[in-house]
Amino acid sequence: DQQVKQNSPSLSVQEGRISILNCDYTNSMFDYFLWYKKYPAEGPTFLISISSIKDKNEDGRFTVFLNKSAKHLSLHIVPSQPGDSAVYFCAATQGGSEKLVFGKGMKLTVNP
Amino acid sequence: GAVVSQHPSWVICKSGTSVKIECRSLDFQATTMFWYRQFPKQSLMLMATSNEGSKATYEQGVEKDKFLINHASLTLSTLTVTSAHPEDSSFYICSARDLGQNGELFFGEGSRLTVL
């Protein structure tokens, strides 16, 4: 049973437009969520996170929204740039645990 | 930022042999490191938590005798895939938490294992 779901395997957007990456989770005990970005042949790198006590966190072009009632979070990238093309993983954890549960990832392609 | 390095990044071995993958935290000490496995088009799956100076904690379904983990120092954890078989072919990634950087988790580059 996959507790963190990224149901869309890929997304393609034009440079300058908004990219919206979605993530759903089933475990209501999750209280901290993270987004990681991964380039081919590299390990994931941390992008942005959000605690369950918030519903929005913003860092430059990246904003994460959390809807606890829907068990849904999304990552918005605006404006999208070709360098944002990568695989994005949504991850969740609970109670300060160091164990992260990852989604399958979503490949974002930003076209020039 | 902190760096976690894995070696080798790519390894091909024959079925039945053992392969060791190293994970190093280059500029910080990590009492705990994590090993993940990723199948194609699948999520990163936590295999085990490596604890410096003590036994690793394995996730359910992961064979501890198959995937030997040793965390001999504060900067090095090793994963040994014993008697490798083709189904062990996968992408293995380690991570470590840098307490000096707000506990941020840093990942290695990953090691792709292909068992013939």
Side-chain angles (χ1 to χ4, degrees):
Chain A
D1 176 38
Q2 194 154 13
Q3 298 185 69
V4 177
K5 302 177 183 179
Q6 293 177 260
N7 293 318
S8 299
S10 62
L11 173 68
S12 184
V13 300
Q14 282 299 119
E15 180 178 7
R17 306 295 290 269
I18 185 171
S19 295
I20 300 177
L21 291 74
N22 294 306
C23 178
D24 297 291
Y25 60 96
T26 58
N27 188 342
S28 58
M29 299 299 291
F30 287 144
D31 57 10
Y32 195 73
F33 306 88
L34 310 92
W35 284 94
Y36 286 83
K37 179 179 179 181
K38 183 181 182 300
Y39 293 114
E42 294 184 12
T45 56
F46 171 75
L47 195 57
I48 192 169
S49 64
I50 188 167
S51 165
S52 61
I53 63 173
K54 294 185 175 181
D55 54 19
K56 176 183 176 182
N57 188 26
E58 189 173 354
D59 183 3
R61 296 186 297 114
F62 303 91
T63 303
V64 56
F65 296 91
L66 175 63
N67 182 334
K68 289 188 292 293
S69 60
K71 295 191 181 69
H72 176 83
L73 64 154
S74 60
L75 173 67
H76 292 211
I77 305 173
V78 55
S80 301
Q81 299 174 353
D84 296 329
S85 298
V87 175
Y88 290 79
F89 288 94
C90 171
T93 187
Q94 65 180 80
S97 171
E98 295 184 298
K99 297 180 182 179
L100 295 180
V101 180
F102 285 86
K104 289 184 179 182
M106 178 184 193
K107 183 177 182 180
L108 173 66
T109 302
V110 181
N111 301 304
Chain B
V3 177
V4 174
S5 179
Q6 280 183 243
H7 177 80
S9 57
W10 193 288
V11 57
I12 300 174
C13 71
K14 291 182 179 180
S15 185
T17 61
S18 295
V19 174
K20 180 185 286 187
I21 301 170
E22 294 185 346
C23 177
R24 294 180 184 273
S25 55
L26 296 186
D27 52 3
F28 67 97
Q29 294 182 332
T31 55
T32 304
M33 292 184 177
F34 304 91
W35 286 96
Y36 298 84
R37 181 176 181 176
Q38 184 185 21
F39 292 102
K41 299 183 179 179
Q42 298 293 321
S43 61
L44 290 166
M45 299 296 294
L46 179 66
M47 297 174 64
T49 302
S50 172
N51 304 298
E52 189 269 337
S54 65
K55 292 183 179 180
T57 305
Y58 290 82
E59 295 301 301
Q60 190 174 9
V62 178
E63 299 176 63
K64 60 181 180 181
D65 295 329
K66 173 75 171 177
F67 299 99
L68 299 179
I69 291 174
N70 183 278
H71 196 146
S73 77
L74 288 170
T75 60
L76 173 65
S77 174
T78 59
L79 168 68
T80 302
V81 183
T82 63
S83 186
H85 288 99
E87 57 265 31
D88 299 325
S89 299
S90 191
F91 192 61
Y92 294 88
I93 301 179
C94 71
S95 69
R97 194 176 295 279
D98 184 0
L99 298 179
Q101 292 204 38
N102 299 316
E104 185 174 334
L105 199 63
F106 292 91
F107 286 81
E109 315 94 318
S111 300
R112 180 163 299 283
L113 170 64
T114 301
V115 184
L116 303 176

